[in-house]
Amino acid sequence: VQPVESGGGLVQAGGSLRVSCKVSGIITSVFNSKIMAWHRQVPGKQRELVATITRLSAANYADSVKGRFTISRDNANKKIYLQMNNLKPEDTATYYCNTDIGELSWGQGAQVTVSS
């Protein structure tokens, strides 16, 4: 099972970006049973859980992104999204999608760079 992340890029502080993820190699019913999530990692630091979303779209966020990021999912197409607004330099990281507990293979990630 391989998530494929896309989107991201370079943006100035205060700007917005969206990252997307398509999960392949998993049947829809199994995808729908999972709490999906976005994680992020900066080189040399531990991976951080950013946001989670249940099948029915109940979401939770890390305190550092609450009020600025929005996670969503498309169950039929096995996709999840992360809309990031009012970005800060400390949001610079590689963003990965996976389940909340990291059950899937880790993809390549999407690089997000926020300049000050």
Side-chain angles (χ1 to χ4, degrees):
V1 180
Q2 180 69 62
V4 177
E5 298 90 353
S6 61
L10 173 64
V11 67
Q12 287 189 329
S16 298
L17 285 172
R18 188 172 90 149
V19 288
S20 304
C21 173
K22 167 74 174 177
V23 181
S24 300
I26 186 172
I27 61 175
T28 302
S29 60
V30 174
F31 177 85
N32 289 347
S33 73
K34 302 296 184 182
I35 297 174
M36 295 303 297
W38 284 98
H39 307 251
R40 67 185 180 187
Q41 189 168 27
V42 175
K45 293 190 176 181
Q46 280 197 323
R47 190 173 283 133
E48 174 190 14
L49 181 62
V50 174
T52 64
I53 186 166
T54 69
R55 174 177 64 89
L56 297 180
S57 294
N60 278 293
Y61 300 92
D63 287 345
S64 58
V65 307
K66 203 170 291 184
R68 301 187 296 119
F69 289 13
T70 303
I71 188 172
S72 58
R73 67 189 289 167
D74 174 353
N75 289 330
N77 293 299
K78 295 174 285 185
K79 293 183 175 180
I80 64 168
Y81 305 95
L82 187 68
Q83 176 67 41
M84 302 177 286
N85 298 328
N86 191 21
L87 281 158
K88 303 176 180 181
E90 52 263 43
D91 296 317
T92 295
T94 303
Y95 286 72
Y96 300 91
C97 73
N98 210 303
T99 68
D100 59 337
I101 57 174
E103 297 167 89
L104 310 178
S105 299
W106 292 96
Q108 296 286 334
Q111 178 64 40
V112 171
T113 303
V114 185
S115 63
S116 57

